[in-house]
Amino acid sequence: MTYSRISGTGSYLPERILTNDELERMVDTSDEWIRTRTGIVERHIAADNEMASDLALNASRSALAAAGIQAAEIDLIILATTTPDVIFPSTACILQDKLGVGGCPAFDVQAVCSGFVYALATADMFVRGGRCRNALVVGAEIYSRILDWSDRSTCVLFGDGAGAVVLTQSDQAGILSTHLHADGSHRETLAVPANIAGGKLRGTPFVMMEGNAVFKFAIQVLEEAVEEALAENDLRASDIDWLIPHQANIRIIQSTAKKLGIPMEKVVVTLDKHGNTSAASIPLALDIAVRDGRIKPGQHVLLEGVGGGFTWGSALIRW
Ligand code: ACO
C-alpha cells in the first residue's frame, strides 16, 4: 500500500512585530481586550517589498532542509493563499520559479483559513495515487494588506506568515485520513467582497466579518470535524496526542477542546505569537511543535480548521 508522510516542516514569520500596545495607539482597543477575547499578544507584518511567495519561499526552504531533499526533487507544489502576489499567475508558480525548479505541476488553493487542510488533502491524493513522490504543500498569507487598519473589530486579529510541509511517498501510513467540507450559503459572513473591472476596484478590499456568527459556526463544525476523523479511524479523543487547530481565537480552541474532552496540554497553541495567519496558521503551529520536540514519531496528530466560504476540514496523521 502507498501512503504519504510528512517528511519535513518549515515556517517563516516576517521580521516586523506589531504588538497589542502599538495597536492601542492606532485604534480604540486595549492589550487586555485583545488578550482576553482572542489570546493574541503580537503578530508579524510583512515588509512592503515582501510578497506571499517570499514568505512561502523561506518556509519551503526550511521544510526542504528538514526533509533532506533538494528543490529539484519536488514534483508537485500546492500553495494555499487568500492573499496571492498577483491575480495571476498563481503564487505557486511564482514560488516554483523562486525555488529555481520547473516542470512539475504547481497551483494555488483558495479555501481561506482551511486552505492548508484543503491543500494537504489534495497533495495526499496525488502522492497516494502514485502521481508524485515529493509534494511541497504551503500556506502563505499577507493579511496586513487586506485589513482596514481603522477597524478595531478585524485589524487586531490577523497577521502575516507562512508554513510548509514536504509530503513524501511511503509504505508506512502517515496521513491516515482527510475530510473537507464547504457551505457557500455563508459566503457573506466572512469575506473580502471586492474585485477589479476595467482597471478599477469594485467593492470593499478589506476583511469583513460577522465575528459572533463565525465564532458560533466554528465551534459547531470543528467539533463535528474532529468526531468525523476519529470515527473514520476508529479512534477516541484520548488517542489524540496533539490537536493542531487553526489559530484564530483561543476561546474557539478552548471550547472545541473542552467539548471533545481533549486537555489543553495536548493542544498546540501558537496564536499568541502570530495571530490569525489564515492558511499559514496550521503549518506554522505544526512546525513550531515539531521543532520544539513536542511531536514524536508514532503519535497521532489531528489538524483541523475553518475559514471563509465557509470551508472546514481535518487531517489525521500518524507522525
Ligand atoms: N477592542 C476593544 N473592543 C472591541 C474590539 C477591539 N479590538 N473589537 C470589538 N470590540 C467591542 C465591540 O464593539 C463590542 O462592543 P459593544 O458591546 O459596546 O457593542 C464588544 O467589544 C464585544 O464585541 P463582540 O464582537 O461581541 O466580541 P466577541 O467576544 O464576539 O469577540 C471576535 C470578537 C474576537 C472577533 C470573535 O467574535 C471571534 O473570534 N470570532 C471568530 C473569528 C474567527 O475565528 N475567524 C476564523 C476564520 S478567519 C478566516 O477564515 C479569514
Side-chain angles (χ1 to χ4, degrees):
M1 191 94 166
T2 304
Y3 298 96
S4 71
R5 293 186 70 82
I6 293 179
S7 55
T9 65
S11 61
Y12 174 77
L13 290 166
E15 215 172 294
R16 159 99 168 95
I17 293 173
L18 178 66
T19 64
N20 290 348
D21 292 343
E22 284 175 87
L23 280 166
E24 277 184 11
R25 296 193 286 276
M26 294 162 63
V27 286
D28 181 15
T29 191
S30 67
D31 173 51
E32 202 260 334
W33 192 96
I34 302 171
R35 275 179 202 252
T36 52
R37 297 291 181 119
T38 72
I40 300 165
V41 177
E42 58 190 33
R43 69 287 293 142
H44 292 244
I45 304 293
D48 271 355
N49 61 352
E50 268 182 320
M51 304 300 279
S53 62
D54 297 311
L55 275 50
L57 179 65
N58 284 312
S60 300
R61 282 189 174 141
S62 164
L64 289 166
I69 65 166
Q70 303 295 317
E73 293 172 73
I74 289 293
D75 44 19
L76 171 69
I77 299 173
I78 307 183
L79 189 146
T81 189
T82 315
T83 50
D85 288 15
V86 289
I87 290 175
F88 74 78
S90 71
T91 306
C93 282
I94 299 171
L95 172 64
Q96 185 190 46
D97 182 49
K98 289 183 177 176
L99 282 167
V101 294
C104 74
F107 58 91
D108 285 1
V109 162
Q110 220 295 29
V112 200
C113 298
S114 314
F116 181 77
V117 175
Y118 266 68
L120 190 70
T122 309
D124 175 54
M125 308 285 174
F126 274 85
V127 175
R128 278 194 294 115
R131 299 307 296 263
C132 82
R133 203 175 149 63
N134 292 303
L136 178 62
V137 186
V138 190
E141 300 280 16
I142 303 193
Y143 260 59
S144 59
R145 296 194 186 139
I146 53 167
L147 293 174
D148 174 353
W149 287 99
S150 66
D151 176 5
R152 69 176 183 175
S153 71
T154 52
C155 76
V156 303
L157 303 175
F158 296 91
D160 304 338
V165 303
V166 175
L167 212 54
T168 299
Q169 225 174 54
S170 168
D171 53 9
Q172 284 182 349
I175 306 236
L176 300 177
S177 69
T178 58
H179 289 92
L180 303 178
H181 298 279
D183 182 349
S185 69
H186 298 279
R187 68 189 191 280
E188 287 170 5
T189 311
L190 174 56
V192 177
N195 57 38
I196 53 166
K200 292 201 177 77
L201 183 69
R202 295 198 302 198
T204 308
F206 299 122
V207 174
M208 312 291 282
M209 178 170 75
E210 292 171 36
N212 282 319
V214 179
F215 196 96
K216 283 186 198 133
F217 188 85
I219 285 174
Q220 182 203 324
V221 297
L222 290 176
E223 183 189 7
E224 287 168 10
V226 171
E227 279 172 350
E228 182 181 40
L230 292 174
E232 163 112 358
N233 293 283
D234 210 10
L235 293 173
R236 286 175 304 178
S238 55
D239 295 318
I240 299 302
D241 295 293
W242 295 106
L243 180 66
I244 307 196
H246 168 46
Q247 308 284 313
N249 184 311
I250 190 66
R251 291 183 298 139
I252 295 176
I253 295 173
Q254 285 166 339
S255 166
T256 308
K258 192 172 169 200
K259 277 183 164 189
L260 293 159
I262 298 177
M264 281 306 286
E265 297 72 50
K266 289 180 160 191
V267 183
V268 176
V269 177
T270 58
L271 91 161
D272 51 320
K273 295 274 178 239
H274 54 69
N276 183 346
T277 56
S278 195
S281 97
I282 293 175
L284 255 165
L286 175 66
D287 182 51
I288 291 167
V290 167
R291 283 174 192 268
D292 68 20
R294 265 180 280 181
I295 297 178
K296 297 188 175 60
Q299 290 187 328
H300 285 122
V301 179
L302 182 55
L303 317 182
E304 45 92 336
V306 58
F310 285 132
T311 57
W312 65 100
S314 73
L316 183 59
I317 302 167
R318 187 178 304 131
W319 202 256

